[in-house]
Amino acid sequence: MVSKLSQLQTELLAALLESGLSKEALIQALGEPGPYLLPADGPRDKGESCGGGRGELAELPNGLGEARGSEDETDDDGEDFTPPILKELENLSPEEAAHQKAVVETLLQEDPWRVAKMVKSYLQQHNIPQREVVDTTGLNQSHLSQHLNKGTPMKTQKRAALYTWYVRKQREVAQQFTHAGQGGLIEEPTGDELPTKKGRRNRFKWGPASQQILFQAYERQKNPSKEEREALVEECNRAECIQRGVSPSQAQGLGSNLVTEVRVYNWFANRRKEEAFRHKLAMDTYSGPPPGPGPGPTLPAHSSPGLPPPALSPSKVHGVRYGQPATSEGEEVPSSSGGPLVTVSAPLHQVSPTGLEPSHSLLSTEAKLVSATGGPLPPVSTLTALHSLEQTSPGLNQQPQNLIMASLPGVMAIGPGEPASLGPTFTNTGASTLVIGLASTQAQSVPVINSMGSSLTTLQPVQFSQPLHPSYQQPLMPPMQSHVAQSPFMATMAQLQSPHALYSHKPEVAQYTHTGLLPQTMLITDTTNLSALASLTPTKQVFTSDTEASSESGLHTPASQTTTIHIPSQDPAGIQHLQPAHRLSASPTVPSSSLVLYQSSDSNNGHSHLLPSNHSVIETFISTQMASSSQ
Amino acid sequence: MAGKAHRLSAEEREQLLPNLRAVGWNELEGRDAIFKQFHFKDFNRAFGFMTRVALQAEKLDHHPEWFNVYNKVHITLSTHECAGLSERDINLASFIEQVAVSMT
């Protein structure tokens, strides 16, 4: 039926139909009883009638998307490409159906990965859950996810189903937005694919644009009034519409993802609860006179989102306790074997030559930490180390150090043999490096800390298992805001981290805003260790929380991370050490084995004196660690 | 009437324009407007694109200034009521992007 149309006519008709015009309306506008016969009348006639029709149509209100039900059923057919003839009248004109098929064919010819990216970005743009696609296409959810995210091949037949859904969805959404301005939808195809069948509405999901707005508002005021909330509702809906390329006046078209005042209210309530929880955790683990006031208690880098507080409390502030057994081994190389979390502050001593055994845990040379701990005394050797190391004025160093520790929820994981690993290298004297030994680990990583004046100490990565104290995030935020140049970003990051940590929520926001932000943070050289920590934090988080998505939030720029190390270090040489390690840490999502690989390559540049041979061992450890941490 | 016709403040511009700039919209000199050139495979596609944009423009009641020669379309967006850029321009630009992407 379409064959008699010229291509331009087809294009124009498609445009008309996609703008929300139904076939019925078109036919009525044309005033022709037999639309199917039009093509047979000859191109000229059709052209005329179409021309006439178009003129009329221009004044017709856009036809409503009729028979959603029919479309739904068609979808139900498992993406049967040939809509039942009976539904044809309702389901778009034959031209539209043919047009859709043509588009699908075009997409199939294209490079599957490119189309997958297109579809994926569309899903993100409109905040459509994968579940909806799976339900209507009958594809396997895991397969679909892999195809869209990683490019796993998908058979043509299935891709056709996906593309068909995509094409139809676009039309539906376009119509939905069109009708939104006209007072409601017939059904809500976007939000509820099969209302009659399943009666399920898509779960509301915050879009990145809205979240950004909300976080900014949260910074200003944690408890907005009803008026403010309503204003935020408007703002968020407007942003969401713009993100979708739609006029904000048709916000109703957002369907299930429409932001309402209640949702904003809940969002604020949840953020407040989150903060209280983090604060509580911080307080729990905080023990002894805090060396640095900081925004939050100085916490050893325990934080791990989701770790039960009980696990944390024993670890105490400095985690020295945990480190104790480990620390007893070497002077600055506390072996963590079996030890719980250990906070390691890089001692100034030259540990590397002596202690880089994988089994060694972190060194906690943080005098403050150790001494501050009221609990179990660290091994004498450690104390000695601490005392000897402790030189700097507590004030300046402590704070940053504390903060660093605190804000290293995830920093701890450091590749074996890597001097610098994630451990933030801090200005020394006090052994600024923090290495966190994980409880269960056999610890391999021992941060090797160069005692020299350099702030960077090589740390052997310490793997820590889960118990990273989430409270780190709290101290992280304030320092970040004060120190980090890109504070808004970091604040967002921190905030992102928090929810991520606590609710296992994927920091998807990062996806939209991450570009370059992390690197920026990393590059802040004039900030204190905090920045290093801050930058490291995300990395660590990823490790412990074992979410792949989080890695995207900026961890994918290993290069940038290396820069961070530069920041606190006063000794350029020391920095070198850290760089390689740091790079390693930048790949949170990388499986532990690959992490190790990175480290290996890096270590070649860096400290050769570190025990590269540990890699394999470390690898095992890491694997173990990761496995254990993912419990 | 869709959107507001008030001129965008510097703050709003800073917030909204980067996204558009990233996809190729440029601010014109000597005039508070944004401009972009589109390129299609042939006239049919170009005009199909223009038709879609036109229909949406009608819906939004905000029309672009454009020029078309065969497969090229130059679009300038500005709001005459405020003699500059407004939300309507941003909205329409977003929509135009969406259409352009989904087409060729």
Side-chain angles (χ1 to χ4, degrees), chain A residues 7 12 18 178 244 247-248, chain B residues 44 51-52 59-60 91 98:
Chain A
Q7 194 187 357
L12 295 176
E18 279 180 16
T178 310
R244 291 157 173 70
S247 158
Chain B
N44 295 324
T51 305
R52 286 175 175 78
K59 218 189 290 179
L60 298 178
N91 296 340
Q98 199 186 2

Side-chain angles (χ1 to χ4, degrees), chain A residues 401-475:
Chain A
Q401 285 167 346
N402 294 333
L403 291 175
I404 294 172
M405 301 220 292
S407 47
L408 284 180
V411 175
M412 309 334 290
I414 297 177
E418 276 312 312
S421 72
L422 291 181
T425 51
F426 306 104
T427 45
N428 74 255
T429 63
S432 36
T433 2
L434 290 182
V435 178
I436 297 179
L438 291 182
S440 54
T441 45
Q442 284 87 32
Q444 52 186 22
S445 48
V446 176
V448 180
I449 299 171
N450 295 324
S451 56
M452 66 293 180
S454 70
S455 46
L456 297 184
T457 50
T458 50
L459 298 176
Q460 244 185 348
V462 175
Q463 294 215 328
F464 42 119
S465 50
Q466 313 171 332
L468 287 186
H469 196 69
S471 57
Y472 281 137
Q473 295 170 359
Q474 187 179 1

Side-chain angles (χ1 to χ4, degrees), chain A residues 7-8 11-12 14-16 18-19 62 99 118 122 125-126 170 174 178 213 235 238 242 244-250, chain B residues 1-4 12 15-16 42-45 47-49 51-52 55-56 59-60 87 90-91 94-95 98 101-103:
Chain A
Q7 194 187 357
L8 180 57
E11 286 281 341
L12 295 176
L16 271 178
E18 279 180 16
S19 75
N62 282 322
H99 175 75
M118 221 161 56
Y122 183 78
Q125 191 192 25
H126 288 266
Q170 282 184 315
T178 310
I213 293 171
E235 213 181 319
R238 188 153 33 98
I242 289 178
R244 291 157 173 70
V246 170
S247 158
S249 71
Q250 299 178 342
Chain B
M1 283 302 149
K4 296 173 194 161
E12 292 167 315
Q15 185 190 358
L16 300 170
D42 53 18
F43 176 71
N44 295 324
R45 308 236 187 181
F47 205 77
F49 162 82
T51 305
R52 286 175 175 78
L55 290 165
Q56 181 73 0
K59 218 189 290 179
L60 298 178
E87 223 178 291
I90 309 292
N91 296 340
S94 307
F95 176 82
Q98 199 186 2
V101 163
S102 70
M103 287 205 62

Side-chain angles (χ1 to χ4, degrees), chain A residues 30-310:
Chain A
L30 293 174
E32 302 260 354
Y36 294 105
L37 300 177
L38 285 176
D41 295 342
R44 186 170 50 83
D45 289 348
K46 178 135 175 77
E48 284 173 2
S49 58
C50 280
R54 242 174 261 129
E56 284 184 18
L57 287 170
E59 309 181 25
L60 287 176
N62 282 322
L64 294 178
E66 53 331 275
R68 284 271 150 252
S70 67
E71 273 212 20
D72 289 342
E73 289 184 57
T74 305
D75 289 346
D76 270 359
D77 293 346
E79 289 302 320
D80 180 1
F81 300 177
T82 319
I85 297 181
L86 294 174
K87 320 276 185 192
E88 225 173 6
L89 274 177
E90 296 147 346
N91 177 29
L92 309 180
S93 67
E95 285 107 357
E96 183 61 18
H99 175 75
Q100 281 183 352
K101 278 186 229 174
V103 175
V104 171
E105 289 297 319
T106 314
L107 290 173
L108 281 169
Q109 303 304 323
E110 279 250 8
D111 171 36
W113 174 232
R114 280 185 51 210
V115 184
K117 279 197 284 197
M118 221 161 56
V119 174
K120 177 167 160 66
S121 65
Y122 183 78
L123 287 178
Q124 286 176 345
Q125 191 192 25
H126 288 266
N127 238 339
I128 300 173
Q130 267 184 8
R131 183 187 53 75
E132 190 182 309
V133 184
V134 166
D135 287 347
T136 55
T137 60
L139 295 170
N140 175 272
Q141 194 267 326
S142 163
H143 185 29
L144 174 72
S145 169
Q146 290 204 323
H147 176 69
L148 292 178
N149 294 317
K150 302 179 189 168
T152 297
M154 188 185 268
K155 295 242 172 85
T156 309
Q157 179 79 359
K158 298 198 175 134
R159 277 196 300 130
L162 175 64
Y163 301 158
T164 305
W165 173 89
Y166 176 56
V167 171
R168 290 211 184 129
K169 185 68 177 181
Q170 282 184 315
R171 217 180 56 83
E172 277 179 30
V173 173
Q175 289 185 350
Q176 198 180 26
F177 275 107
T178 310
H179 305 155
Q182 296 170 3
L185 312 163
I186 298 179
E187 288 172 22
E188 288 188 5
T190 301
D192 190 350
E193 190 65 26
L194 306 163
T196 53
K197 196 170 188 187
K198 294 180 185 173
R200 184 202 319 162
R201 201 138 289 241
N202 274 345
R203 194 171 200 263
F204 169 80
K205 179 151 173 56
W206 284 106
S210 299
Q211 283 189 323
Q212 216 176 0
I213 293 171
L214 291 175
F215 274 117
Q216 282 167 3
Y218 186 71
E219 268 178 74
R220 289 194 298 270
Q221 187 194 30
K222 299 202 191 314
N223 215 325
S225 66
K226 190 169 167 82
E227 292 79 28
E228 288 169 39
R229 288 200 300 267
E230 282 171 10
L232 286 172
V233 166
E234 286 304 309
E235 213 181 319
C236 287
N237 281 328
R238 188 153 33 98
E240 291 293 326
C241 280
I242 289 178
Q243 180 189 304
R244 291 157 173 70
V246 170
S247 158
S249 71
Q250 299 178 342
Q252 294 308 313
L254 292 172
S256 64
N257 283 324
L258 177 72
V259 177
T260 73
E261 200 239 308
V262 176
R263 294 193 166 123
V264 173
Y265 174 79
N266 286 331
W267 188 93
F268 275 90
N270 290 336
R271 290 294 125 348
R272 290 196 295 270
K273 276 190 253 171
E274 235 173 61
E275 200 175 321
F277 182 62
R278 275 187 282 113
H279 186 68
K280 173 179 174 295
L281 289 176
M283 299 310 295
D284 280 350
T285 57
Y286 181 67
S287 75
T298 54
L299 299 171
H302 290 272
S303 62
S304 150
L307 271 197

